Amino acid sequence: MDDLIPYLYEKYASERESTPRKIDENDLRALKRTVEIIITLLQQELSKRKTVEIEIHKGILDYENLLSTGLQPLFSYPETVFNNMSEIVSHDLIEAFRALLFNLPTASVMISLRAVEAAIRDLYFELADEEINGGDSYLTWNYALSEIQKQLGSHEIRSKRLEGYLDFLREIRNSAEHPDKVFEINEAERIFVESVHAIEEVYLLIEKIHMKISKK
């Protein structure tokens, strides 16, 4: 193809007056042979690959748009969120979304909750003093929330929206811990969206804390 394309272009598509407009038989045969070889090679390569077709669920998420643009459209303040978001939170959100794509709602819920938990840890360490900050990075949900409320109180900061999201997700988390709990796709989508909202509030709060500290 590397040789054939410039040859055909020069012979049939150049601006020269003598350029013929109809391909001759020899060139046509060469072009057909090349295309047949490419098709054969592509078929051989594709036959070696394991492919899974995604059946896009028609729910509250615009899957096609999110597949092409990433998860940024889910956030009202994507720049602030992604400037502060830790790698593990970003990773888990993408994994939770992929689980929805492959119709694995229970897995998506578990990973969505894990993403929120990681964001809560980020907020905890942002608020905690240096001594606490050197402690265990795998804090329990309830302990971290309790400490966060204390620290926010001392900083005179409150986020009712975050509290609302976390109350909802706490109930989901308690439900998810039941060994027989299975989530439907519509439930999982809602939990994923609520998790995104909670995570956004966490990082907006972290940004607010940064600004408050910088003014001191």
Side-chain angles (χ1 to χ4, degrees), residues 53-57 63-64 66-67 94-104 108 185:
E53 185 175 350
I54 297 173
E55 184 178 348
I56 295 179
H57 172 70
Y63 287 95
E64 292 184 3
L66 294 173
L67 275 171
I94 293 169
E95 291 276 298
F97 175 68
R98 286 176 179 167
L100 290 174
L101 277 176
F102 288 96
N103 198 26
L104 300 169
S108 177
I185 188 71

Side-chain angles (χ1 to χ4, degrees), residues 181-216:
K181 178 62 181 175
V182 174
F183 290 90
E184 299 296 329
I185 188 71
N186 290 330
E187 288 180 288
E189 281 187 326
R190 186 189 172 200
I191 292 163
F192 176 72
V193 171
E194 294 291 335
S195 298
V196 166
H197 291 163
I199 288 167
E200 179 162 44
E201 288 301 314
V202 164
Y203 290 111
L204 289 176
L205 203 52
I206 287 175
E207 184 77 2
K208 186 186 291 186
I209 293 164
H210 287 167
M211 293 175 65
K212 200 174 181 74
I213 293 172
S214 66
K215 289 179 180 178
K216 289 184 178 180

